[in-house]
Amino acid sequence: MWGKTRMMDERRYFELADAVFREIEDRFNDVDADDVDVERAGDVITLTFRDGRKCIINTQRPTRQIWLAANARAWHFDFDETTSRWVDDKGQGVELVTQVAEIVRESAGIAV
């Protein structure tokens, strides 16, 4: 799967990345910014929790991946054409949006 994502053309990669970024942002429409502040700057979404901890989601153009970092952990996600989802490149079955939701639940006690 990793090789397939790397071969994806840049335009398609940015369309898919933008779509999942919008999906992530939309999940916070009803969340109080004091609990989770969501900031998007270009190819980076930063979630800042009440206690100051952060979750960073960003594109990685050279590898056509999306990277996620939070709580001293990091994940790399490739786009899986068969499921139309961003899944971890380690083959663990971790899906990007689900992992972000889990981080928010653990960090802020909020379901998104």
Side-chain angles (χ1 to χ4, degrees), residues 46-111:
T46 303
L47 307 177
T48 304
F49 301 103
R50 185 179 293 273
D51 64 5
R53 287 185 292 163
K54 294 185 184 291
C55 171
I56 310 293
I57 308 146
N58 64 291
T59 62
Q60 287 297 313
R61 295 175 191 200
T63 59
R64 304 285 198 264
Q65 292 181 316
I66 294 178
W67 289 6
L68 169 65
N71 303 326
R73 293 195 59 203
W75 298 262
H76 300 168
F77 296 89
D78 292 315
F79 189 76
D80 181 354
E81 294 285 353
T82 60
T83 63
S84 296
R85 305 304 293 168
W86 290 91
V87 295
D88 73 299
D89 69 349
K90 302 291 186 215
Q92 302 296 313
V94 177
E95 192 272 327
L96 173 63
V97 175
T98 303
Q99 187 61 48
V100 169
E102 180 63 19
I103 290 165
V104 172
R105 187 190 62 74
E106 289 174 357
S107 300
I110 298 169

